[in-house]
Amino acid sequence: MALTDIRPTVRRRISRVSSYVIFAAIVVFLLVMTDWKEIGNIFFNWDVMRKMWKGVPRAALNTVVYTLISFGAGVLLAVVFALMKMSKGPFKWFAVAYIELFRGLPAMLTLLFMAFAIPLALPWKIPGGTLGGGLVGLILVTSAYTAEIIRAGIVAVPKGQTEAARSLGMGSLRTTITVILPQAVRIVIPPLTNELVTLLKDTALLFIVGATKATKELTQYGKDGLSTYFNSTPLIVVAVCYLVITIPLTYLVSRMEKRMAVKQ
């Protein structure tokens, strides 16, 4: 019987089973041919893990602190620039230029500017040295991206809310602060949390500004461990730490998006 005489459903079933068989054969081949002892020694060396663990709490804490500082300051700036962009006149164009500039530049370049180039050109120094400059760079980048998220949330608030507040005698500023922004915040919580997860990973860029033993974040700590032990286990340790922090946040974003979808 020719293959064309077989019913479409049977052909699909045969094709699916064949793909599973081929995939299983490839997996078995890789399992047999891989030197698992060498893999374990390179990536899962328990002696290196024990030595690395001593500094993990400090590096993880630094990563979280840098993230919260950058995110908190970035959101505050973002609210200002989102409102400026929605206004009229020179403030609007200043906000547009700011947002497009820091969204268009690579984050690493912004950090280099703020940590090294700008302090050389200005008579005053950024507190915290190169690390402080790096954090300022993260704040600027975060605020530029977050400003667009907040602006979208403000636009999503029904215009009837503004009209109702105005009918009660509220001024423009009071309406924005007490009526529009609280509703916009609820709308943008999922994308803001997603931005927080992205920022947590972007703190790895701080390795370019240098760090002391007390100020290392996770990526710098893993990179130093790699150089010290000539082994890839430090990178695995750091990767697991990032996953422990980011996976719950990602799950939280998913839950919030589902709840928002149900309410809508």
Side-chain angles (χ1 to χ4, degrees):
M1 182 174 60
L3 185 61
T4 53
D5 296 331
I6 302 176
R7 289 182 300 175
T9 53
V10 177
R11 285 205 304 271
R12 286 196 295 269
R13 189 176 298 115
I14 292 174
S15 176
R16 186 165 58 250
V17 171
S18 299
S19 65
Y20 280 123
V21 171
I22 294 172
F23 178 76
I26 293 173
V27 170
V28 170
F29 174 78
L30 293 175
L31 289 174
V32 172
M33 298 300 296
T34 300
D35 186 347
W36 291 106
K37 183 177 180 180
E38 186 66 15
I39 292 291
N41 183 56
I42 294 174
F43 292 99
F44 302 98
N45 188 303
W46 292 109
D47 290 334
V48 175
M49 282 188 180
R50 283 196 295 270
K51 294 175 182 177
M52 285 292 295
W53 176 250
K54 296 178 182 178
V56 164
R58 166 61 66 179
L61 178 62
N62 286 341
T63 298
V64 173
V65 169
Y66 299 156
T67 301
L68 293 178
I69 291 173
S70 303
F71 186 73
V75 168
L76 291 176
L77 270 179
V79 172
V80 174
F81 281 104
L83 294 175
M84 288 173 63
K85 188 173 181 179
M86 297 179 67
S87 66
K88 297 180 181 179
F91 291 110
K92 174 180 180 178
W93 300 114
F94 177 78
V96 170
Y98 175 93
I99 291 170
E100 294 304 321
L101 173 66
F102 290 110
R103 289 180 69 191
L105 290 176
M108 184 177 291
L109 185 60
T110 302
L111 265 66
L112 287 172
F113 265 113
M114 300 309 301
F116 301 107
I118 299 300
L120 291 176
L122 296 177
W124 47 268
K125 304 298 181 183
I126 297 175
T130 56
L131 177 60
L135 286 174
V136 170
L138 282 180
I139 290 169
L140 296 177
V141 173
T142 301
S143 65
Y145 281 96
T146 308
E148 286 297 280
I149 295 174
I150 293 175
R151 187 185 65 84
I154 293 173
V155 171
V157 176
K159 291 184 179 180
Q161 298 294 320
T162 302
E163 295 171 356
R166 292 291 181 84
S167 67
L168 294 174
M170 292 186 182
S172 177
L173 180 61
R174 185 181 176 188
T175 299
T176 300
I177 294 176
T178 62
V179 178
I180 304 302
L181 283 180
Q183 295 185 65
V185 167
R186 287 197 294 270
I187 295 172
V188 302
I189 281 178
L192 278 182
T193 309
N194 202 34
E195 184 66 24
L196 176 63
V197 174
T198 301
L199 178 61
L200 181 83
K201 293 178 286 186
D202 283 347
T203 56
L205 296 174
L206 289 172
F207 84 91
I208 64 174
V209 304
T212 65
K213 185 176 181 180
T215 61
K216 291 178 185 177
E217 42 75 43
L218 282 170
T219 298
Q220 181 67 54
Y221 183 66
K223 179 174 174 291
D224 290 349
L226 183 67
S227 302
T228 300
Y229 302 109
F230 298 99
N231 188 280
S232 298
T233 302
L235 299 183
I236 298 297
V237 172
V238 168
V240 170
C241 291
Y242 273 115
L243 291 175
V244 167
I245 299 172
T246 58
I247 287 178
L249 285 174
T250 305
Y251 175 75
L252 179 62
V253 172
S254 177
R255 293 281 297 180
M256 287 191 295
E257 288 176 343
K258 289 179 180 179
R259 290 186 63 181
M260 294 271 305
V262 170
K263 289 181 180 181
Q264 291 176 354

